Amino acid sequence: MRAFFHSFALAAFALLIMAPVTGCTTTGLGDPPPVTSGPVADELATAKKAIGTVAAAFDMALDAVEELRDAGVLVPGSPKGQQVAALIRKADKALVAAQNAVTMADYVAQLGIFGGAMKEVSQLIEGKVQ
Amino acid sequence: MNIEKLGRDLLAIARAAAPLIGKADELEAAERLVDSIKTGVGTVKDLLGKDSPAELDDAVDELVKRVSDRAKRVADSLD
């Protein structure tokens, strides 16, 4: 077990999922972005920027997952590996659905699904969920 | 919260600890993660700096497509 790297990767992963990103309008991947009360155009621009921010953070989280896989912490084909794979697919589907959402309610709901899936990944890696 | 600074702080801790426990290869992996965070923060800053809605749309669409394609590959690698 590569405990040192495992601990570091977990800390990085938790930051990516839970922490706000510098200069971002969202409150972190785990929460949907706030809906502003401004004009529709402003709302859509804010939403678009938030989707970009979430996608960038998802990209970083995928880096962490790949490092954990390469370090042998996540074993392909194992129950945990398969669970993480399914959750990544769920998060991916929600991200794309949020990007294509035509209402703010759907947009927020899809980002909620995305955040929930990524939290589950984090918990699986930390061993809180089997 | 400044995620880039946190990444740097985490790396500083890792650098300090690595010689003590002989984990150079793990430090390299940790450094790759910090590089990933730096790149991600740069991407976000670039997106937030776009003034033109059309430019922003194109950049976000391209980013989401790239990340979505990658997510599928990473998921496949874990099955």
Side-chain angles (χ1 to χ4, degrees), chain A:
Chain A
M1 169 65 75
R2 308 175 77 185
F4 171 68
F5 172 67
H6 189 178
S7 300
F8 182 86
L10 281 179
F13 197 89
L15 282 173
L16 294 173
I17 300 304
M18 306 303 294
V21 177
T22 306
C24 174
T25 54
T26 68
T27 54
L29 279 183
D31 302 310
V35 177
T36 65
S37 57
V40 172
D42 287 349
E43 253 182 32
L44 291 176
T46 300
K48 198 79 185 185
K49 286 181 179 178
I51 287 284
T53 302
V54 170
F58 191 27
D59 201 23
M60 291 184 264
L62 292 171
D63 280 338
V65 167
E66 285 194 316
E67 291 289 353
L68 288 165
R69 181 201 60 205
D70 294 347
V73 176
L74 278 176
V75 180
S78 67
K80 190 179 282 189
Q82 290 176 332
Q83 282 176 288
V84 171
L87 287 166
I88 287 173
R89 290 190 181 101
K90 184 178 180 181
D92 171 42
K93 193 175 169 186
L95 174 65
V96 173
Q99 184 193 20
N100 296 323
V102 291
T103 67
M104 286 305 285
D106 188 29
Y107 167 84
V108 170
Q110 293 298 335
L111 284 187
I113 292 169
F114 175 89
M118 296 311 291
K119 276 184 183 173
E120 279 191 67
V121 171
S122 181
Q123 289 170 341
L124 270 172
I125 293 171
E126 287 180 69
K128 290 180 181 172
V129 179
Q130 294 301 318

Side-chain angles (χ1 to χ4, degrees), chain A residues 1-6 8-9 11-13 15-16 19-25 44-46 48-53 55-67 69-70 74-78 81-82 84-86 88-89 92 95-96 99, chain B residues 1-4 6-7 10-11 13-15 17-18 21 23 25-27 29-34 36-41 43-45 47-50 56-58 60-79:
Chain A
M1 169 65 75
R2 308 175 77 185
F4 171 68
F5 172 67
H6 189 178
F8 182 86
F13 197 89
L15 282 173
L16 294 173
V21 177
T22 306
C24 174
T25 54
L44 291 176
T46 300
K48 198 79 185 185
K49 286 181 179 178
I51 287 284
T53 302
F58 191 27
D59 201 23
M60 291 184 264
L62 292 171
D63 280 338
V65 167
E66 285 194 316
E67 291 289 353
R69 181 201 60 205
D70 294 347
L74 278 176
V75 180
S78 67
Q82 290 176 332
V84 171
I88 287 173
R89 290 190 181 101
D92 171 42
L95 174 65
V96 173
Q99 184 193 20
Chain B
M1 184 178 291
N2 183 330
I3 198 167
E4 193 174 1
L6 280 168
L10 277 171
L11 187 58
I13 293 166
R15 280 193 178 119
I21 54 178
K23 299 288 187 183
D25 57 335
E26 297 186 28
L27 178 60
E31 285 178 331
R32 284 197 296 275
L33 276 186
V34 173
S36 159
I37 292 170
K38 284 179 188 170
T39 302
V41 170
T43 301
V44 171
K45 283 180 177 171
L47 283 179
L48 295 178
K50 292 195 183 302
L56 176 64
D57 272 1
D58 289 348
V60 171
D61 288 350
E62 188 180 325
L63 176 64
V64 170
K65 183 179 185 320
R66 181 179 66 73
V67 174
S68 177
D69 288 346
R70 185 180 176 214
K72 290 175 180 68
R73 288 196 301 274
V74 172
D76 287 347
S77 78
L78 289 169
D79 277 335

